Amino acid sequence: MIFDVAVIGGGVVGGLTARELTRYKLSVIILEKADDVAGGASRANSAIVHGGFDPLPGTLKAKLNAKGTAMMAKLAEELDVHYRNNGSMVLAFGDEQDEKVRELYDRGIKNGIPGLSVISGDEARRLEPALSDTVTSALLCTSSGIVCPYDLNIAAVGNAMDNGAQLKCNFEVTDIKSVGDHYVITNGQERVEARYIVNAAGLYCDTIAAMLGDKYTITAKKGEYMLFDRSEGDMVDRTIFQVPTKAGKGILITPTVDGNLLIGPTSEKTDKDDCSTTLDGLDLTKATALKSSGKLNFRKIITSFCGLRSACEESEDFIIRMSDNSPRCLELIGIDSPGLSSSPAIALYAVELLSEAGLVLERNEEFVPTRVSARRFEKLSADEKNAIIAKDPAFGHLVCRCETITEGEILQAIRQNPPARSLDAVKRRTRAGMGRCQGGFCSPFVTELIAKELGIPETDVTKFGGNSKLLVGKTK
């Protein structure tokens, strides 16, 4: 079979682009190198839907950030994803940074961002009592929000699959050749044929571009984070930034949609496979966050993690264009921050460019834009939960005590598109293992459920695919 479009990369941008393509009568396949979608930048980032005041006016980042943020609430509702319009503040400490805050305000006005105002330090503390006494002013943005990035990613791919798209994981593209009117894409063992390609490979989009004759240089930037227990989740209501620097938007303090508190990220160039946390990085995260608020309780940290962002050496702006050397390939290069915020708008723009390049778009009247999340159970009332348990007793069996996740939700995550095949894949879909004990209690039960559902020995169940097996054998 020759697909109409192959999307290389199963992150949030690739997933939403594939979903947008299924609105039309097209055959679409997503090729992902990892064992699951949301394995790269979409797995570990700040989870912020940026207001859009930071990008330089006139850039793609400015245009797509503003448009994507405006789309996010409706998209999250359609995909049954947690989203909250909590707003944000950018803090200044002293006269020089006060001027920077006013510059950001002016930039946001030029970008057409609603809900912006400059407030004094006292006004900022009235809104957010946990803020430091040293804050002199702040940019208040009421249009920004927070979302679960991997939840959005998984839902986008799942909805695309529900509408006919195919997903092939563990498919690391090693070669692309143009053969007549289509491309042959291979991972060394298997091949996929497609008339058009979308290069949404994130950190590795330069590698894919090189196979098509285009030269870009992508550098990985490491961002280290610290996650606090839910008991700390209401310390601030808004996302709290400091005045940005050349390295990025800096260390933030933010609630998450799941009730935790998050601080980070750092910004340091690193290797593309380096997801380690470091003592220096975490110390810097702590020290910088304390400047915003001295009320952080570091005894309540439950985990730390690292995310990698793709920085393009050729441009600080997004590069979204058809390839110069392969005219049926769309390049999505250097999609760093605000990539998550911009992703719904990037998907629309991607389809527009593909259409201009010759892809025929015929509306798919059977397209269904909605789905029901595996995490929906927690939102229900007691009566609604009891009604579900009466039909399926698995929803009455508690597996993860910290996050109160049931067997029914885990089974739904394994069975629903895109199906979970590892411990981490189940965790991203249900939060089983994300609580205070970090999976210490529920991991054996989740492992048993995965093995039973997939019909494999428990010794073949992995944490995140590949050789990450949890068990080495059985005792007699």
Side-chain angles (χ1 to χ4, degrees), residues 40 61 86 104 129 136 145 219 282 290 455:
K61 284 186 177 182
N86 68 319
L104 285 175
T136 52
T219 301
L282 297 178
L290 281 169

Side-chain angles (χ1 to χ4, degrees), residues 334-346:
I335 310 298
D336 56 0
S337 180
L340 174 63
S341 312
S342 305
S343 57
I346 291 174

Side-chain angles (χ1 to χ4, degrees), residues 350-368:
V351 174
E352 178 185 331
L353 292 179
L354 287 168
S355 175
E356 292 174 0
L359 180 65
V360 177
L361 302 181
E362 182 182 353
R363 184 68 62 177
N364 174 14
E365 300 299 335
E366 297 181 357
F367 175 80
V368 178

Side-chain angles (χ1 to χ4, degrees), residues 320-335:
I320 303 177
R321 54 183 294 186
M322 302 305 296
S323 164
D324 290 331
N325 296 289
S326 300
R328 295 188 312 280
C329 176
L330 175 63
E331 304 276 28
L332 305 179
I333 308 292
I335 310 298

Side-chain angles (χ1 to χ4, degrees), residues 188-206:
Q189 290 80 41
E190 301 176 79
R191 53 188 276 166
V192 170
E193 298 177 77
R195 294 181 179 86
Y196 289 81
I197 290 175
V198 175
N199 176 8
L203 279 173
Y204 297 91
C205 62
D206 54 348

Side-chain angles (χ1 to χ4, degrees), residues 400-419:
C400 175
R401 297 184 298 185
C402 298
E403 297 291 320
T404 60
I405 306 301
T406 67
E407 178 183 336
E409 292 167 273
I410 293 168
L411 292 176
Q412 184 178 347
I414 298 171
R415 296 166 182 170
Q416 186 181 37
N417 284 330

Side-chain angles (χ1 to χ4, degrees), residues 3 15 17 58 61 80 113 117 166 183 202 267 296 319 326 456:
F3 290 90
T17 300
K61 284 186 177 182
D80 200 13
I113 306 305
S117 59
Q166 294 187 34
Y183 297 97
S267 181
L296 291 164
I319 299 175
S326 300
I456 60 176

Side-chain angles (χ1 to χ4, degrees), residues 225-236:
Y225 295 88
M226 305 176 87
L227 186 71
F228 292 73
D229 185 72
R230 284 187 176 187
S231 64
E232 308 304 298
D234 60 357
M235 193 194 90
V236 294

